[in-house]
Amino acid sequence: MYHGFTVTVVFPAYNEASYIRKAVEDFLASGVVDEIVVVDNNSQDATAQEASRAGARVVTETRQGYGYALRRGLREATGDLIILAEPDGTFVGKDVFKLLAYADDFEMVCGTRTTPELIWEGANMGWFLRQGNWIVAKLLMLLYNTPSLSDCGCTMRLIHRKALERFQTQLTVGGSHFLPEMVILARKQNLRFIEIPVSYRGRVGESKITGNLKGVLRTGTRMIWLILRRRF
Ligand SMILES: Nc1nc2c(ncn2[C@@H]2O[C@H](COP(=O)(O)OP(=O)(O)OP(=O)(O)O)[C@@H](O)[C@H]2O)c(=O)[nH]1
Ligand SMILES: [Mg+2]
């Protein structure tokens, strides 16, 4: 509970057994999180068992994909404030306070991982990935006249449930390019939103999206295509 609002954290999870228990504990340790929803996306390892052992509510999403997992989590979350994050060690539980600090004044608070001072050693945010995230974010800014953005792919973000409900049914993306669609729809609804820096660390366990150049290029291309297609 934070300032009278209940808080839900959503973790999309595909084979994240190696860290998910720690992630759930880390976010619960903030003391303000009322509920953690882990969306198990057909994991073949012990992700679901580990997550529920740590105190999370586990739901199973059978449609495979990052976007499908997050959309399911957004539907399942019962909190007034919903925080999206990842259970792979890249995001830090105490950063919920950074998002919450802005939640009084903004309906959506997006994290950015491209602030050099907050990219920890070992994080998967080298020069190419950082510039790519930044450039696609600038494209979003330019074509949709959004507030300042410097990262198009940061899962960690907060949204007020009431604000989400204004566009939730219009979310369509099931794949790794889900996040820009959320920003575009939020902008079209004139949501008040802001982007703030969050810590970004090295992940535990195997990377599924941006761990190799092919994955980066595939996700980047899909994002750019979505941004252009929705605009013109
Ligand atoms: N790629 C992918 N990720 C999924 C899926 N379902 C759930 N996820 C989760 O979505 C999050 C993002 O995937 P990651 O592999 O961490 O990709 P990333 O964050 O771009 O890059 P790294 O953290 O550096 O590996 C993780 O928490 C995954 O477990 C899916 O079908 N595909
Ligand atoms: Mg990750």
Side-chain angles (χ1 to χ4, degrees), residues 46 48 59 62 67 87 95 133 135 156 177 199 201:
V59 297
T62 52
D95 273 359
N133 273 307
I135 287 167
M156 189 139 183
H177 54 307
S199 281
R201 304 190 301 185

Side-chain angles (χ1 to χ4, degrees), residues 64 75 89 102 104 155 185 189 221 228-229:
Q64 191 69 53
R75 288 198 302 274
Y102 287 87
D104 289 336
T155 307
L185 292 175
Q189 289 294 322
T221 311
L228 296 176
R229 190 163 44 87

